[in-house]
């Protein structure tokens, strides 16, 4: 709020500040306000103005002294006066009387005062009905924040008020800016002319008054010296501009619009009166230098928007000046001789007027730029820096003649290196607006040469949006700047089409398409070449060459997805693509090479998949895209086009490439994207017969698993019972399987007929291997139970168990076939199967598990790994059967792993995943190194699959959760290879059971600690600097980071870790008094890594639990007790209410009762920092922040109440809800945990390993 100018407001004497009922001469009254005579000790006032000033002061202070008055009502006037030393003395007496006897009339007084003060602008009031009363918005802040009327009328009313009384209107505007900063303090004004220069300089300060607890800022807002007073605990993190929600976003937009409209409406009148703009610029410049973030941010935004509006005015004036100059010259040429002309004189005056206004506007621009921008574009707050950079980009685009030079461009270039992504983003957006205009690019040569390298590197930015906008900027630069990007730069930028972040990949796809694939004149290639697909053919060949030359990436699907939005026309030209594959060399001299054909077939498959599915490939995009009606229509049209074309062409392609496994495997995936009804509606059964013949021929020729699986998938899609052709395809499938089973039976019969039961013929082994692989591939998607495959393959496995002489090529497909056979039998169980069937199936299930367990120790590594994968999947399926089956069937078939089996599985993971293999140093050639690297990658992929299969057993409670402790031990050491799998396991187990998950973490650390202790020399003590101990602390720190920022959500888990850790640390301590050194005391150093995740009340409770195991006073002079001291310090860190960490004598210092009561007093008064709940409450439009804080505190306590019951069940030493815990002779009372305490805890580490972000709160 604002008190009107009063030169004598700061005088100490009540007599001098008293109101004199004197007759005021007319010369002393100007525009309804009082005029000071410059004398500090006397003042001549007008009685109406003085009354209005009194009402203003009373209303200003009444909104701010609610809390202060409650404390001072029983005290003296002097005590109350200390809170507001800048108020006149009569105001204190009147306010005390009002607060004592007329509290109910406070609102009435405020409304009366506002009505008197706003009688000149009543037309802009906004009214609304609330509780039967009409509430009027009478201040600019209220009107703008409500946003009920058009901003034009609001500004018009203010301009009219300014013309009537500019001092009152300006004070209203100043009050508006102060309130927009979120300040609920008081503003007083002194006349600048009444003070000497030295006195003025002394008043330009910002300091803190320790006696009153208030903050002051004095600065010049010509012609006044303004004093802003606000509470010292004004929240820098909660003011209108940074509040979230639609209401405050709208307020920010209204705030910016108000400034723009204000300048626009004043540009023809009061903008050049040397009073309005001087005051506003002085005010904003003074506030922009404040140490308070809210003032700096609000005033900087206002100043930048003000300069943007002034730049628009300058541009209009410049245009008007040039028009006037042209008219003047035309008029001057028109008249003859020296004859005077009124029109010419008028134009001359107009031109000079424009020049004068331009000069004033330039002075305003310079004042704002030098006074605000130059100081704030490097502000510590990123929002302020971003605002400055955003607006300077707007100035350059709006008025390039004045701002498009290196003097201004350098600021944007410098801020490209800013640490905050928001600032870098504003720089790139500003530069996009400049580089998009060719007429401006020619003036950017120096800037481009200086900052091009930085811009080229920014697509690698860690912030995705910055990277995307950098790529778009480079696209504009390559279009409008000749040869600005070198060939090396372009090659680097092309590779971004393979990135997993789709917006960046799409931007890079645009760059690639317009720079490399699409050239002007492509449409003219067709008639020149004479071919039907001239333009598309050349583009396809350029795309194929680019892919082949890109040696780092082999992901065609990612490349096509990146280009889809820009090159969809030629990527959907499947007729051209297939024509290139089917044409002969005689028809065209340029035949595709084998590598080109392979790439083109991959491109065909990728484009077909993209068109049919309509969403990005796996790994690019979190979920499937929801298609619009138009997109669905295009998708259906593309599917129809694909079907109609490939139904006829695909058999020809399969026939041509039937011997190439890779090409055939890709081509066989196309039918799954058909609209299969076209076969029957279009009477195209002959093409179906051709397709089935080619697929059957391919199956009999190939034993490659990818080809066989693609063939099996094709039959599965075509056998859909809902389509008319299913019966025809089913007959062809049955015929094919009969042939495959006949071949397998013939080979098996010959195998069993041999005397020794084992064949040594390599050819026979190969044929057996191929036959088993074909059957296994079809058994995966088709039920082959009627061919009795289970008995045949099971006999092979039993023979291997007994004799151990079968080759691996026969064991692996036999194991796979047996597994599929049992799965089909399990899936075929009806709702009420006979018990004999269930008993027989259960017996076979357990028998197969025993076989897999035996194979875990097979001599061949591939067999061991295959048996482990099958066993993990098998256990997962059996322990989570469908509940649709009856309970009896589920009970008979249920199979949970025994303890020995769980131990075997865990041992297998330790030996095959985490066991380090010794690498032999060999001198390899380049090809051998490449092959060795490929083998290592394949081996890593296998290890990840094994670990993921076992972790699924942990997550779904098939094995005990404590088994995860052995996995967690390798978290840090193997983070690059398996960190994502272990982190996901930790997240899922924590989601299932927080307490048990916490116990698993602490068990992991305990086992590591015991192993470390056993390796240490007992006589020398624990070595804290050893590598193993350092690794333990690092592992504990990483575990701590996984809990994230929400300390309330992780409260039970962290508390359980401390409880279990303390008990383990004092395990085995001798002596009742606890003065003997516990053997595991050093473990407290490990769990101290979790102390910063505790809420403040929980820290005190954990400390109380710790004191159960120690005696006070406890001498802590030896180094062996340092872990206990460090752990205690971690619990008492940042605790204002606690005593010093360690006394001078080395004894524990008791916790003071007075300090604890002080903390309770703070909590009850709501003086702790706001929490997330408080911030959520502050989003409401209501501005009564005190009531919001109280309600938010209550809500935060209710939020935790539901957690306390669960917490008390598992953590006996943590009893929230005011429970008291005795510790020695002192009694510690625990307050209800609120999120204020949570907000005060300082988390030093960056949470890079947060898991469980999607857990239930």
């Amino acid at each position: 709020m604002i008190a009107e100018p009063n030169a004598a407001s700061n005088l100490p004497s009540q007599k001098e500040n008293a109101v004199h009922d004197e007759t005021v001469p007319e010369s002393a009254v100007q525009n309804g306000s009082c005029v000071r005579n410059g004398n500090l000790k006397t003042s001549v006032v007008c009685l109406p103005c003085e009354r209005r000033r009194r009402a203003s002061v009373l209303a200003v202070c009444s909104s701010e002294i609610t809390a202060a008055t409650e404390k001072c009502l029983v005290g003296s006037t002097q005590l109350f006066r200390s809170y507001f030393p800048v108020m006149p003395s009569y105001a204190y007496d009147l306010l005390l009387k009002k607060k004592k006897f007329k509290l109910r009339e406070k609102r009435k007084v405020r409304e009366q005062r506002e009505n008197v003060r706003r009688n000149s602008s009543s037309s802009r009031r906004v009214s609304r009905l609330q509780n039967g009363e009409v509430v009027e918005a009478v201040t600019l802040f209220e009107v703008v924040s409500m946003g009920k009327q058009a901003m034009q009328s609001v500004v018009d009313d203010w301009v009219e008020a300014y013309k009537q009384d500019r001092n009152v209107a300006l004070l209203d505007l100043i009050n508006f800016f102060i309130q927009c900063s979120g300040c609920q303090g008081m503003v007083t004004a002194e006349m600048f002319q009444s003070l000497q220069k030295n006195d003025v300089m002394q008043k330009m300060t910002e300091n803190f008054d320790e006696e009153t607890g208030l903050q002051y800022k004095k600065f010049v807002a010509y012609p006044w010296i303004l004093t802003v007073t606000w509470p010292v605990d004004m929240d820098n993190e909660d003011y209108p501009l940074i509040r979230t929600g639609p209401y405050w976003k709208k307020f920010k937009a209204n705030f910016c619009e108000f400034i723009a409209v204000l300048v626009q409406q004043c540009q023809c009148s009061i903008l050049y009166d040397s009073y309005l703009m001087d005051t506003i610029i002085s005010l904003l410049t003074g506030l922009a230098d404040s140490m308070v973030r809210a003032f700096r941010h609000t005033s900087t935004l206002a100043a930048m928007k003000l300069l943007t509006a002034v730049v628009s005015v300058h541009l209009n004036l410049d245009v008007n000046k040039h028009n006037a100059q042209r008219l003047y010259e035309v008029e001057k040429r028109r008249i003859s001789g020296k004859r005077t002309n009124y029109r010419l004189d008028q134009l001359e005056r107009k031109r000079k007027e424009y020049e004068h206004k331009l000069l004033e506007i330039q002075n305003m621009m310079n004042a704002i730029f030098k006074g605000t921008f130059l100081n704030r574009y490097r502000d510590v707050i990123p929002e302020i820096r971003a605002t400055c950079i955003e607006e300077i980009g707007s100035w350059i685009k709006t008025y390039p003649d004045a701002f498009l030079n290196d003097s201004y461009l350098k600021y944007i270039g410098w801020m490209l290196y800013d640490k905050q992504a928001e600032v870098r983003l504003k720089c790139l957006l500003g530069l996009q607006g400049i580089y998009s205009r060719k007429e401006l690019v020619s003036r950017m040569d120096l800037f481009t040469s200086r900052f091009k390298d930085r811009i080229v590197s920014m697509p690698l930015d860690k912030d995705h949006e910055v990277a995307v906008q950098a790529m778009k900027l480079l696209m504009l630069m390559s279009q409008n700047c000749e040869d600005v990007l070198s060939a090396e730069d372009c090659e680097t930028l092309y590779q971004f089409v393979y990135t997993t972040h789709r917006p960046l990949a799409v931007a890079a796809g645009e760059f690639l398409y317009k720079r490399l694939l699409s050239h002007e004149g492509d449409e003219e290639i067709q008639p020149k070449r004479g071919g039907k697909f001239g333009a598309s053919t050349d583009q396809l060949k350029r795309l194929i060459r680019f892919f082949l030359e890109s040696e780092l990436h082999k992901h065609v699907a990612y490349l096509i997805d990146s280009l889809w939005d820009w090159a969809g026309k030629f990527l959907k030209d499947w007729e051209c693509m297939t024509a290139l594959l089917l044409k002969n060399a005689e028809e065209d001299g340029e035949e595709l090479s084998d590598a080109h054909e392979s790439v083109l077939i991959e491109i065909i498959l990728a484009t077909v998949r993209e068109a049919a599915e309509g969403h990005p490939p796996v790994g690019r995009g979190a979920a499937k895209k929801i298609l619009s009606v138009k997109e669905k229509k295009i998708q259906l049209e593309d599917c129809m086009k694909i079907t109609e074309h490939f139904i006829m062409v695909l058999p020809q392609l399969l026939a041509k490439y039937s011997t190439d496994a890779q090409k055939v495997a890709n081509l066989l995936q196309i039918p799954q994207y058909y609209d299969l009804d076209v076969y029957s509606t279009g009477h195209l059964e002959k093409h179906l017969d051709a397709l089935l013949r080619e697929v059957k021929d391919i199956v009999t020729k190939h034993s490659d698993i990818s080809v066989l699986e693609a063939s099996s998938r094709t039959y599965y899609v075509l056998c859909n019972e809902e389509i008319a052709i299913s019966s025809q395809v089913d007959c062809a499938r049955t015929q094919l399987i009969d042939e495959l089973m006949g071949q397998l039976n013939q080979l098996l019969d010959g195998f069993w007929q041999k005397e020794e039961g084992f064949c040594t013929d390599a050819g026979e082994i190969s044929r057996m291997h191929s036959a088993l692989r074909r059957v296994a591939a079809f058994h995966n998607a088709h039920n082959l139970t009627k061919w009795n495959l289970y008995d045949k393959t099971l006999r092979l496995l039993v023979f291997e168990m007994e004799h151990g002489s079968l080759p691996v090529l026969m064991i692996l497909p036999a194991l796979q076939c047996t597994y599929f056979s049992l799965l089909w039998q399990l899936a075929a169980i009806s709702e009420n199967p006979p018990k004999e069937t269930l008993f027989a199936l259960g017996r076979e299930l357990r028998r197969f598990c025993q076989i897999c367990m035996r194979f875990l120790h097979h001599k061949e590594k591939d067999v061991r790994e295959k048996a482990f994968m099958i066993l993990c999947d098998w256990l997962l399926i059996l322990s989570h059967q469908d509940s649709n089956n009856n309970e009896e069937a589920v009970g008979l078939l249920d199979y949970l792993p025994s303890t020995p089996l769980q131990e075997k599985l865990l041992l297998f993971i330790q030996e095959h995943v985490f066991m380090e293999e010794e690498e032999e140093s060999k001198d390899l050639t380049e090809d051998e190194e490449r092959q060795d690297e490929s083998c290592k990658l394949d081996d890593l992929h296998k290890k990840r699959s094994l670990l993921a299969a076992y972790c699924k057993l942990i997550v779904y409670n098939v094995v005990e959760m404590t088994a995860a402790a052995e996995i967690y031990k390798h978290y840090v050491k193997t983070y690059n290879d398996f960190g994502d799998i272990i982190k996901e396991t930790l997240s899922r187990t924590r989601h299932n059971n927080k307490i048990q998950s916490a116990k698993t973490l602490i068990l992991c650390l305990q086992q590591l600690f015991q192993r470390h202790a056993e390796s240490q020399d007992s006589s020398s003590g624990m070595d804290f600097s050893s590598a193993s101990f350092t690794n333990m602390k690092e592992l504990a720190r990483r575990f701590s980071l996984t809990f994230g920022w929400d300390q309330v959500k992780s409260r039970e888990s962290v508390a359980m870790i401390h409880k279990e850790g303390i008990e383990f640390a004092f395990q085995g301590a001798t002596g009742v008094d606890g003065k003997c050194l516990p053997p595991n005391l050093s473990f407290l150093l490990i769990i101290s890594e979790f102390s910063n995740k505790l809420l403040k009340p929980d820290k005190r409770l954990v400390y109380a639990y710790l004191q159960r195991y120690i005696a006070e006073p406890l001498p802590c002079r030896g180094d062996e007790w340092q872990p206990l001291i460090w752990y205690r310090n971690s619990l008492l860190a940042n605790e204002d209410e606690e005593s010093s960490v360690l006394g001078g004598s080395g004894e524990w210092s008791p916790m003071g009762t007075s300090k604890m009561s002080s903390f309770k007093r703070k909590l009850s008064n709501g003086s702790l920092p706001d929490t997330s709940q408080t911030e959520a409450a502050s989003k409401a439009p209501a501005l009564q922040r005190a009531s919001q804080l109280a309600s938010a505190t209550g809500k935060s306590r209710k939020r935790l109440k539901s957690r306390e019951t669960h917490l008390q069940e598992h953590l006996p030493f943590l009893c929230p809800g005011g429970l008291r815990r005795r510790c020695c002779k002192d009694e510690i009372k625990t307050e209800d945990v609120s999120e204020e305490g949570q907000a005060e805890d300082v988390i030093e580490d960056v949470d890079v390993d947060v898991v469980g972000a999607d857990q239930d709160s």
Side-chain angles (χ1 to χ4, degrees), residues 671-737:
Q672 60 183 296
Y673 303 105
Y674 283 0
D675 182 2
L676 297 175
D677 292 329
V678 175
Y679 275 113
S680 55
T681 58
H683 304 289
L684 301 175
E685 288 80 2
K686 63 178 182 179
H687 296 288
L688 177 61
D689 292 336
L691 176 63
L692 294 176
R693 283 196 304 270
E694 296 298 333
V695 175
K696 179 181 178 181
D697 182 60
I698 289 171
V699 171
T700 57
K701 285 181 180 179
H702 293 274
S703 61
D704 184 85
I705 190 62
S706 60
V707 176
L708 296 176
E709 288 180 350
S711 302
S712 176
R713 176 70 178 173
T714 301
Y715 276 106
Y716 176 80
V717 170
L718 296 176
C719 284
N720 189 350
E721 296 179 356
E722 297 179 358
I723 58 177
I725 62 173
S726 60
S727 58
Q728 181 180 353
V729 179
D730 183 59
C731 293
R733 179 187 61 179
T734 304
Q735 182 181 359
L736 174 61
I737 295 176

Side-chain angles (χ1 to χ4, degrees), residues 602-618:
E602 290 186 48
I603 291 175
I604 291 175
L605 176 60
T607 54
V608 167
R609 182 187 295 115
E610 188 85 18
E613 294 181 348
H615 58 78
V618 176

